[in-house]
Every structure is written in C-alpha cells, then in structure tokens.
Amino acid sequence: MKPTAIPLAALVLALVGSAQAAPSEAARREIAGLIGALDGSNCRFQRNGSWHDGAEARAHLQRKYDYLLKKNQVDTAEQFIERAASQSSMSGKPYRIACPGQPEQTAAVWFGARLKALRINAPATHPPR
C-alpha cells in the first residue's frame, strides 16, 4: 500500500461515517413543537431532583438538541425524546413533568403524548399508513 493510501482511506471512512441524514423539515417542526410545549404550559420539569419552569426546561432541552445535531445523533422526534428529553445524560435519572391537575409522569411519557397530539393536529404531511 502506498504511504498516502492509509490517510486517504481514513478520510473516506470519516466522511462516510459523518454522512448521516439530518432531521427532515417535518421532524424539525415536531422537535421545535416538543421543546416549546413546556414553555407555554404551567407544567414543571424535574431534572436531577430539581424542579424548573417551562422556560428553563426549554433552554435546557434546546441545548441538548443542539448538541445532538452537531453530533448527527438525532433525525426524528422519537430520537429527540429518547436521547434528549427523557433522562439526564449526566446522571441517567429520568426527567419528570408535573402539570396542574394531572398526575406527575415521566418526561418520556409526557413528550410521547405531545408528539402524538402534534401529529394528529398537523397538516397532512405524513403518508397514510
């Protein structure tokens, strides 16, 4: 093998590995809707034992989403929920959400329900199943 073949092969592998798909426009809208859902509510968001209001939750989730985008690790709203909105990446503790008049629940369940509602109320952008 020529001396330049190894660096070229490494470059090709690096490019192939980073050529993952970015979130579609529909996925970006859904994720933005999920991030904003807490901010417009009277719900509280718990992470690592501390409660936060909607604006603080939105800012935290946006930072996590931005990080995942840079790493090409989120393509769908489901991946956003799983990788950013369900648990602390530091402690592994599940996030929780408490809304007035409703039982406290895990953030994964809460965001899953919001995603379902977003899709039901969204214009027909998804093909029929």
Side-chain angles (χ1 to χ4, degrees):
M1 196 180 262
K2 293 186 210 177
T4 58
I6 292 174
L8 180 59
L11 177 63
V12 169
L13 287 174
L15 290 174
V16 169
S18 66
Q20 297 175 341
S24 68
E25 186 57 38
R28 286 181 183 270
R29 277 193 307 272
E30 288 176 344
I31 293 166
L34 293 173
I35 290 172
L38 271 173
D39 198 10
S41 74
N42 290 322
C43 300
R44 296 179 307 136
F45 179 79
Q46 183 190 65
R47 65 182 175 99
N48 295 322
S50 298
W51 287 99
H52 303 273
D53 66 17
E56 292 169 330
R58 181 195 43 74
H60 174 71
L61 294 172
Q62 185 66 55
R63 281 190 302 274
K64 286 186 78 173
Y65 176 52
D66 292 343
Y67 174 82
L68 290 171
L69 280 174
K70 286 181 197 172
K71 300 289 186 179
N72 292 317
Q73 294 180 350
V74 63
D75 295 327
T76 65
E78 288 85 359
Q79 287 176 342
F80 167 76
I81 292 170
E82 177 189 337
R83 298 174 183 172
S86 293
Q87 67 183 24
S88 169
S89 51
M90 301 297 275
S91 70
K93 290 182 180 180
Y95 294 148
R96 302 204 48 86
I97 296 183
C99 299
Q102 298 176 14
E104 188 179 306
Q105 59 190 304
T106 66
V109 169
W110 193 88
F111 280 112
R114 299 292 82 65
L115 179 58
K116 185 176 180 180
L118 281 172
R119 287 180 174 167
I120 288 170
N121 295 318
T125 56
H126 299 283
R129 294 182 185 185

